[in-house]
Amino acid sequence: MTHVMACIDGSPSAAAVCDYATWASQRLQAPLTLLHVVDRSEFPQPGDLSGNIGLGSREHLLDELASLDAKRAKIAREQGQLMLDAARERAIATGALDPKTRQRHGNLVETLYDLEPDIRLLVIGKRGEDSLKPGQLVGSQLESTIRSMHRPILVTPREYQAPRSAMMAFDGSPTASKGVEMLAASPLLRGLPVHLVMVGRDQHVDKESLERAAGQLAAAGLEVHTAMLAGEVEPILHAYQAQHKIDLLAMGAYGHSRIREFLVGSTTSSMLRTTSTPLLMLR
């Protein structure tokens, strides 16, 4: 069975990740798994250093280095388990049913790639504990995670607020149309007003595409509002979201051809950096 999987670390956004994952798990009626990854580059497993130049004869130093690495890795695992236990208690307190915890030692992106078959929705903070430098708006591994995953990803801000409305940025591309199909088939946004917003140039072609997408969502029982706007994509989307007090933004993730140019070079990466609400990346 696929799970809602939440990436838990020591960052200030970990509580919000836990809360959004619990919210999503309840709406999807999917089991919740809380995941912590001990980064092996920060806490390497003890290895054989005997072949290193200048160290081979210094057995006492090798022993001390290996012992230090082992202690650091053990402390990191114990600390991670404490975070997972606290997250589990928080999830249960907010309505999660028997959430599971998992701890892995390795690279986050590689770990998520390995676990992808078990993931229905990945929930991850916009900035992790390794990305707390002033001016760093997006976690160092977040964009790599989004690019490598083929599952929807909910990127959370630092504070939790239960979504009461949603907006999908729609550009008429195959990737965006696939995202509409995913939303129509999912109970995640059922019962919430969904604003389908298009910022385009060809009014006639774009209007037809927008109306088809709106029809799909409406046929699935969603309350749909449409808007076709002109101007620079990012500020227009932000302005519309602020005007209508929309709590959650959905858009296509990194793709190919036109959508790749549209998103990778500008809109998705920029929205990822600047939005203050959760961002649902659809693949």
Side-chain angles (χ1 to χ4, degrees), residues 37-52:
V37 178
V38 181
D39 192 331
R40 63 167 167 253
S41 65
E42 235 183 300
F43 304 102
Q45 297 281 24
D48 181 8
L49 302 179
S50 59
N52 286 12

Side-chain angles (χ1 to χ4, degrees), residues 6-11 13-19 22 32-36 77-96 99-103:
C7 294
I8 301 299
D9 62 8
S11 68
S13 63
V17 169
C18 182
D19 293 345
T22 301
L32 172 61
T33 296
L34 305 164
L35 172 71
H36 177 257
R77 290 194 299 270
E78 292 175 350
Q79 183 183 38
Q81 191 58 55
L82 289 174
M83 289 188 287
L84 286 173
D85 292 343
R88 185 175 189 276
E89 291 179 8
R90 185 183 183 96
I92 291 172
T94 53
K100 306 300 182 184
T101 63
R102 298 183 72 168
Q103 189 176 69

